[in-house]
Structure formats: structure tokens, C-alpha cells
Amino acid sequence: MIGTATPAPARLSARLWLALLIFACFAALPVIAAVTDDPFLLLIGTRILAYAIAAMALDLILGYGAMVSFGHAAYLGFGAYAVAILNSVGVTDLVLHIAFAVTISAVFAAITGAISLRTRGVYFIMITLAFGQMAYFFFVSLSAFGGDDGTPLPARSTLFGSQALEDDRTLFYVALGLLIALFTLATRIVGSRFGRVLIGTRENPVRMEAIGLAPFRYQLTAFVISGCMTSIAGVILANQAEFVSPAFMNWHRSGELIVMVVLGGVGNLTGAIGGAVVALLLEDWLAVLTEHWRLLFGVFLIVMVLYSPHGITGALDRIARGRR
Amino acid sequence: MTNLFILQLLNGAQLGVLLFLIAAGLTLVFGIMDVINLAHGVLYMIGAYLIATFAGLTGSFWLGLLLMFPAALAVGLVIERLVIRPLYARSHLDQVLATFGLVMIVNEGVKIIWGPSPLSVPMPDLLSGSIALIGPLQYPVYRLAIIAAGLAVAAGLYVVINHTRIGMLLRAGATNRDMVSVLGVNIRRLYSLVFALGAVLACFAGAIVAPILSVDTGMGESVLILTFVVVVIGGIGSIRGAFLGALLVAIVDTLGKTFGPILLRFVMEPAAAGQTGRMLAPMLIYILMAAILFARPQGLFGPKPS
């Protein structure tokens, strides 16, 4: 369905260089923020890092497993609410927040994934969307945490008992560290035997069954891994905004995650990260330009889909190959 | 208690026929054209805005409704030509993205044209007021009229789909698209027709619900997701499935919201029952969907997966 061939090893390493370049730019951001004396730069940067993690996690199943999940924003919400819920009972440590977020997400992903994976194509898209909305409505009616309006967090998560994350720069570097760690993990997953089976399932599930591998188990495992990774992005987002609300899990958010993945280029983890950067910067830039930025963003989306189906990394590949 | 049950059942039926009007078009677009259209919800919204404008201009709900139809048809044809047609040969992912972009454009465009504040449409005099049903039970005439209109459209669709040549093509298209085009049917014209028909039905739903809702930009969104659930439950491409699915979803949703907390009171304290009921009620239809899919992944009336 998603017709990108497995990238050749040589190009994969080019993508790795691109990823390293993006990470280096991120690492330099606090310096730029200090020089230009712009405190918002770090907060924007942290937000971009969180979405980069989420987009990369989505690419893991969308790009490598051809599972178009339209409910991934739910996991952002689980991550964010994990912080709020544990804070309300006095548990403030970031590691515990992440562990809790990952646990809820694993359970939710395992149950909904097992049901959704019984179907394919359009059905899968619509069912994941419906489950995402189910989670959304659950938190909307959760009046203990502000319901529809959400609730502010009393403080950011603590890191091994210290308040270090209250400093925007520390939070930024923690987010960057998580992105790099998860990128490494995702690259390893994709390169492993598990990853090969997943890619094989994307290309031809019938053949995978014929050689004796049941696609369902591999797809479900990937789905759960992806959901857990996305929830870590949610933990970061909650800390960045110091606020949680069901708006994190609105279906528009799921759509935006897909936009990031496709914008960057499907099926190579670097693309999703780049796509998150470009999409969020474009949103911010258009929002400065006009209050009706969504109109322009919508036009941009349609034009992109109709004229550049392989995203940014696809365009880079074309340039690298000397065509166009 | 019985009165409350009948009232809620009628409310459920009213929501059900609205969902059916929207889902009918959506399921045909999925089933025949194999296009996933996230922008179907905004068509419903456009219908409401169109009648708000036309009813305001002409001073009459009925004239407004009459003018709404050609306008809705035009909107449907323009969207099909500009955005949907280039997507026929594309992957579902591309379709999701492009129609997601369309949702953003239309939502924002509506805000620019009609302003951000909600509009209201006056109820036609002929259908205002309530009538007595059984004993002391009163029900608004307009809501009964919506149910009647929805059932009439459903009957009309039944006749068209089962007893006309166009309907035969629609059924054939939902079963095997390629075969229909091989047999010499102008598939492109059939697609335009299907999309325009779906657009008019969705706009009609938006128009008739406008007098009892406030017309605003968010109205398409909540309905879109419900419609997806309906289409998935009913089975893609099946009008009959859409009809039964719509009524099922609407009645479960309406009754669950009212009677969920009441039933839970038998097993827990009233305060906790109210709280739990409010949390569980919105999830009921998704649980219903999951249960049906678990038994029949293709939906109630969907084609068997090959």
C-alpha cells in the first residue's frame, strides 16, 4: 500500500548523517537562545522534540508496517495524563511518570491493536480513529482532572529528587536525550530480524505467512512499541506546557502526526523527525503571518500530497540521484 | 420511567436518521470509489451554513431548503473535481492527508465567510410546537418531522438502489469496481454522481438539523467520527448496513447517556454511579463497535474480505 522500497544500505547511512545533523542543530539551540536572549526558543524547541519523538514512533508502524494509525494522539494524552495523575498522588519523578505512561499505553495499544489489526485498509484507519476518540472522550469526562478544560500541573516532574527540569534548558536537553535514545532504539528495531519481518509484512503479508511467520504478532508488537514511544512524547509535552488537557488527544492532533511523517518521508525514521521540525515551524510561521493559517496549511497539505508524494527525504533522494 | 424511555428512544431515532443521511454518502464513497473522505463531516456543516444564509436572505425556511439543494450539489461537484478526483488512484494515506487538508481549509473558510460566532436558523412555523403522544407525553413536532424526513430519504434510497438502473450500477460498483468499468460504464461519471449524491445527503442532514442546533464550525467534527463508527459497524458500501448501524449507534448512545447512571445506581452509590456513568456512556458506542468487529471484521453487511 505504501510503495516505498526498502532503502539501500548506502542511503540509509546518508539518512543517519542527516539525523545526526538535525541532532547537532538541536544541541546548538540553547546557545542560540542564550545569544539572542529569546526564552521562548527553548520551549518551542522542546515542543518540536516531543512531536519528533511521536512522529518517529508513528513512522515505525506507518512506514515500516503499513499501519496507518489515526489515533496516535491518544498516546500523547496518556503520557500527559500519566504526569498529572501521578502528580496528584504525590509521585513526581520523571522516570516513574514515563514508566506509568508506557504501562497504560502498552495495555491500551495491546487491546485496541488486537481488535484493529483484525481489519485492514480503510477499516484500520477508521477504527484507530474511533479508539482515539474513545480515549479523548474518556478524558473529557474525567472531571477530577478538569474535564474538557484540562488542568495545570503544580510543577514539572522531578529528576531523581532534584528540581532540575524547572530550568527550560535542562528540560530541553532531557527531551533531546530521549529523542536520540529512542531514535537509536528504533533504528535497532528496524534493522533487527523483527524489523525485517515487519517490512516483509508491509510488502506482502501473504508471502510472510507462506514462509511460516504469523504477521499478526509482529504487527501487534510494533503497534504496542509505537504507542509506548508516543506516550513518552506526551510526558515531555505535559512538562513543557505545565498543563494537560484532552486537546492533546484531539483527532486533529493524530492527523498532524501523520502529516509530519508523510511530510518528512514515510518509512525512514529520520524523515519523521525532519517532518516534525518542518511542520511545526511552518505552522508557527503561518500563524504569525495570518490568523487564518489553517487555510494556508490545508492548501499546502493538498498541494504536497498531489505533487510531492514522497516527502522531504524523497525530494532529497531525487536531488542526490541527480534527477530534476 | 417508561415515558423517559420513549422520549429517549425518539431522540435516539432522530439522531439515528441524521447519522444515516451522512453515513449513506460516506459508505458509498468508501465502497464504490475506495476513497476515505475525512471531509464528509464538513459537508454536513456546509449544509447548515447554506440554509442559515438562504433562510436569512429569503425569510423562509422552506425557500432556503429549496435553494440549499442546488448549492449543495455544486459544492459536491466542485470538491470532487478539485480534490477527490486526483486521489482515486492514490493510497489511503494520501487520501487521508488531502482530505484532512480540505477539512482545515473549509473550517477556516467558513470562519472567514460567516464569522466565528454561531448562527441560528428560525424554526418553520408549520412545524413548531409539540404534540401529545401518549398520555402526558409531549414531543416537539420538528423532531418528529426530522425522523419522518430521514425515513422518507431512506425509503427513497431503497427504491433507487434496488429498482433503478443507477442503483444497479451503484450496487455493482460496491461489489466489483473494476468489472463495472470493464463492462463499459463511464466510471468517472458514476464517481462524480456518487460523491455529489453523498454531498447533497450530508448537506440535507445539516440543513434540517440547523433549527434545533447552533450552527458553528465544530459541528462537522463530532458527527464525522460517529459516522465512521456507523460505517464500520454497518459494513463499507452497504446502505442497509448504514441505516441499521446509524440507528444502533444513535440509540445506544442516547439511551446509554440517560440510563447508564440509573442502571449503575443498582450496583453502587448514587454519586459514584453518576460519575462512572458519565465516564462510560461516551465510550459505549466504541465498545459496541469493538464487539461487532471482533465477531465480524467486515461489519454487519460488508463484503467478505477476499
Side-chain angles (χ1 to χ4, degrees), chain A residues 47 279-297:
Chain A
R47 185 163 147 262
L280 289 172
L281 288 181
L282 185 69
E283 268 185 38
D284 285 349
W285 178 64
L286 287 177
V288 172
L289 224 57
T290 159
E291 60 169 319
H292 300 299
W293 63 273
R294 283 193 186 82
L295 188 98
L296 298 177
F297 198 79

Side-chain angles (χ1 to χ4, degrees), chain B residues 45-56:
Chain B
M45 176 185 75
I46 290 177
Y49 272 99
L50 284 177
I51 198 161
T53 308
F54 290 139

Side-chain angles (χ1 to χ4, degrees), chain B residues 237-257:
Chain B
S238 164
I239 295 276
R240 191 164 35 146
F243 185 70
L244 287 178
L247 285 181
L248 195 63
V249 164
I251 288 173
V252 165
D253 193 44
T254 319
L255 291 187
K257 276 180 183 146

Side-chain angles (χ1 to χ4, degrees), chain B residues 16-42:
Chain B
V17 298
L18 283 178
L19 285 181
F20 166 69
L21 288 175
I22 309 167
L26 197 63
T27 200
L28 284 178
V29 170
F30 281 140
I32 296 174
M33 294 150 68
D34 198 27
V35 168
I36 176 163
N37 178 21
L38 296 177
H40 209 73
V42 299

Side-chain angles (χ1 to χ4, degrees), chain A residues 118 123 252 292 305-306, chain B residues 90 108 221 236 293-294 298:
Chain A
R118 285 170 62 81
Y123 277 102
H252 273 261
H292 300 299
V305 169
L306 294 184
Chain B
R90 294 301 193 77
E108 208 58 43
E221 318 257 295
I236 287 178
L293 284 178
F294 196 75
Q298 74 275 27

